[in-house]
Amino acid sequence: MIKDIKKVSLSEERIEQIVKRLGEQITKDYKDKEPIFIGLLKGCNPFMMDLLKHIDLYCSLDYMDVSSYVGTSSSGNVTIHHDVKTEIVGKDIILVDDILDTGRTLDAVVKLLRARGAGSVKLCVLLDKPEGRKVPITADYIGDLVPNEFVVGYGLDYNEKYRNLPYIGVLKEEVYSK
């Protein structure tokens, strides 16, 4: 796997710093509240689990499995494979994902949760790739910005591979252009 990585964008140490900072900010912002963290599978897992370690609040968690990507590009169609089981009406939701890229998936999920009666919906992403944006959406909590390169690791994948890398790296173009 390592041979497929062009360069490391975020080291393990940098990811730890980011996750700690985000957790402390969310703890401060949600003092006296009990948010529901909803992670978007599968990419959110490492980030969300590490983030929750830095959240000093009563909270609960749930997941949604949604997709819009085929290979390296967004299809533009959002499909829900697994929906939340938690009652969200009137609740404060923090939607957690690995990366905000085109914005299509996250925009659709935010709108869906609001339509279902969530009290509030905030978006927390490890990475933001503004150059990839196709839909006008902004995250409330952003770990770091990344350029318009195809990144993998720490939950991010290419065809279900590379999620288990402990850092975030840029995938060599020849790997996904075969």
Side-chain angles (χ1 to χ4, degrees), residues 70-86:
V70 177
T72 62
S73 60
S74 175
S75 67
N77 298 318
V78 177
T79 304
I80 298 175
H81 304 286
H82 171 81
D83 211 340
V84 292
K85 304 293 184 213
T86 306

Side-chain angles (χ1 to χ4, degrees), residues 73-165:
S73 60
S74 175
S75 67
N77 298 318
V78 177
T79 304
I80 298 175
H81 304 286
H82 171 81
D83 211 340
V84 292
K85 304 293 184 213
T86 306
E87 178 58 53
I88 65 165
V89 173
K91 305 290 184 176
D92 295 309
I93 306 296
I94 299 174
L95 188 60
V96 181
D97 203 6
D98 49 10
I99 190 167
L100 173 53
D101 189 357
T102 67
R104 289 180 176 131
T105 301
L106 289 170
D107 183 61
V109 174
V110 167
K111 287 176 180 172
L112 176 68
L113 295 173
R114 286 183 178 147
R116 290 179 176 175
S120 70
V121 180
K122 300 285 183 173
L123 182 54
C124 178
V125 296
L126 176 63
L127 301 175
D128 186 6
K129 189 189 295 187
E131 293 175 53
R133 203 80 79 245
K134 304 289 185 205
V135 174
I137 185 171
T138 304
D140 302 281
Y141 301 98
I142 298 170
D144 207 350
L145 300 177
V146 289
N148 200 14
E149 299 176 301
F150 196 78
V151 290
V152 294
Y154 195 69
L156 294 148
D157 75 300
Y158 169 64
N159 289 344
E160 296 299 326
K161 297 176 184 164
Y162 307 100
R163 290 186 194 277
N164 57 319
L165 291 172

Side-chain angles (χ1 to χ4, degrees), residues 38-75:
I38 297 178
L40 296 186
L41 293 172
K42 299 174 190 168
C44 78
N45 270 329
F47 174 48
M48 188 155 130
M49 289 303 100
D50 287 345
L51 178 67
L52 287 171
K53 293 175 190 175
H54 297 284
I55 302 289
D56 187 16
L57 301 167
Y58 292 107
C59 62
S60 57
L61 62 108
D62 205 335
Y63 293 95
M64 291 181 78
D65 184 1
V66 298
S67 64
S68 68
Y69 271 76
V70 177
T72 62
S73 60
S74 175
S75 67

